[in-house]
Amino acid sequence: MTDLPPTLIESAAARPARYGAAVSRLLELLPPCQLGPATAADPRLRRTLRELLDQLADPDLAPSRPPSHGEPNAAQPNAAQPIAAQPIVDRRAAACCRAGLWLAGDFLDESHAISQSIETPSGSYWHGLMHRREPDPDNAKYWFRRVRHHPIFESLAAAARSATLTAAATAGIAAGPAAFLATQTVWDPSRFVDLCERFRDAGDSGERLCREIAWIEWRLLFDYCHRQALGLE
C-alpha cells in the first residue's frame, strides 16, 4: 500500500480517539477492496457489518474521551464512562459518513438511499462512488460531474501518482492504461471510472492498483466528511 497523507495515518489503538469506538470497529472489519473493481465481502462478514451499520447513529461518529477529573457523567455520575468529545455540527456531512460506511461494506442500496438525498459536492461524490461500484459507469460520471472540484482531489492525485509509480517499479503498470495516473496533477474521476472498467475482473496488477487507489480515495473522502461533521473543516 502506498503512503497515505498524514491525516489518514493512525494505529488501530488511536482510531477511537479520532473516529469514535463504533466507527473504529467498522474500519477494522471493512475489506479495502470494495470501491474499484471488486468482489463482495463474504456472507458472515456482511452480516456482522450490517448489524453494526444498522446501529450506527450520528453521535457515534464523534470521538469519545474519558471524563476529566471531577467532570460529571450524566448516565453514571460515579463511573469513568467515555463522553462525547465533540458534537456533530453538520448533519449532511455526518450522513455522508454513513453513506460511505455502508458503501465500504458493499451495501449499495443502503448507501444509495443516503447519498442520493445529500445535495452537496460530497454527497454527489459518494453517489458517484456507489455507481462506479455497481458498476454503472455513465451514471457514476454524471454524479462526478456534479461534484466539479472537491477539496480531496489534490491529495488524491498525489497519492495515486505515488501508488502508480510504486506499481510501475514492481509490475511495469505505468506503461499501460494506468500511465496517466503517474503524471496527472489534477484528479480526473471520470477517467478513473474508465480505468476501473478496463481492469474489472482482470485479476492482475491493474485491478490491484485500482482497488488500492479507490481505498485511498475512500479514506480521504471519509476523513474530510468526518472532519466536516465535527466542524473541523
Side-chain angles (χ1 to χ4, degrees):
M1 198 75 165
T2 190
D3 290 341
L4 290 172
T7 56
L8 299 184
I9 299 173
E10 77 283 316
S11 67
R15 284 176 186 157
R18 182 177 182 80
Y19 295 118
V23 173
S24 299
R25 174 61 175 155
L26 283 163
L27 289 176
E28 290 174 7
L29 295 173
L30 291 173
C33 64
Q34 305 292 357
L35 303 164
T39 55
D42 69 81
R44 182 179 300 177
L45 176 58
R46 282 176 61 81
R47 285 195 296 272
T48 301
L49 290 172
R50 176 177 283 283
E51 290 174 1
L52 293 172
L53 287 163
D54 277 337
Q55 297 169 12
L56 190 71
D58 283 358
D60 295 321
L61 297 169
S64 59
R65 59 174 172 82
S68 302
H69 179 70
E71 186 175 25
N73 184 297
Q76 299 184 35
N78 297 320
Q81 295 286 324
I83 62 176
Q86 294 167 287
I88 298 298
V89 300
D90 188 328
R91 295 295 177 184
R92 293 188 300 179
C96 283
C97 291
R98 289 187 285 105
L101 289 166
W102 279 108
L103 179 61
D106 202 39
F107 297 98
L108 303 191
D109 290 342
E110 290 83 353
S111 178
H112 185 242
I114 298 172
S115 64
Q116 68 178 348
S117 65
I118 308 171
E119 296 183 357
T120 67
S122 292
S124 294
Y125 204 146
W126 287 116
H127 199 163
L129 290 182
M130 189 285 302
H131 285 301
R132 190 179 74 199
R133 173 66 186 90
E134 279 185 303
D136 184 348
D138 290 339
N139 214 352
K141 290 178 181 180
Y142 168 80
W143 286 101
F144 287 139
R145 287 193 296 270
R146 294 279 297 267
V147 174
R148 298 195 175 193
H149 182 79
H150 196 277
I152 74 164
F153 278 179
E154 183 176 355
S155 295
L156 179 55
R161 282 199 307 274
S162 177
T164 304
L165 291 171
T166 299
T170 58
I173 192 169
F180 72 94
L181 292 171
T183 58
Q184 68 174 358
T185 57
V186 178
W187 181 250
D188 185 339
S190 292
R191 201 167 182 185
F192 188 63
V193 169
D194 292 335
L195 192 68
C196 288
E197 289 307 297
R198 165 65 177 78
F199 287 117
R200 188 174 297 279
D201 300 323
D204 59 8
S205 58
E207 183 177 15
R208 288 191 294 273
L209 177 63
C210 286
R211 290 186 180 189
E212 179 180 356
I213 293 172
W215 182 234
I216 294 170
E217 180 184 36
W218 187 96
R219 294 291 302 279
L220 283 167
L221 184 57
F222 181 83
D223 192 69
Y224 175 83
C225 292
H226 185 263
R227 288 177 56 80
Q228 195 172 43
L230 297 176
L232 302 176
E233 286 286 352

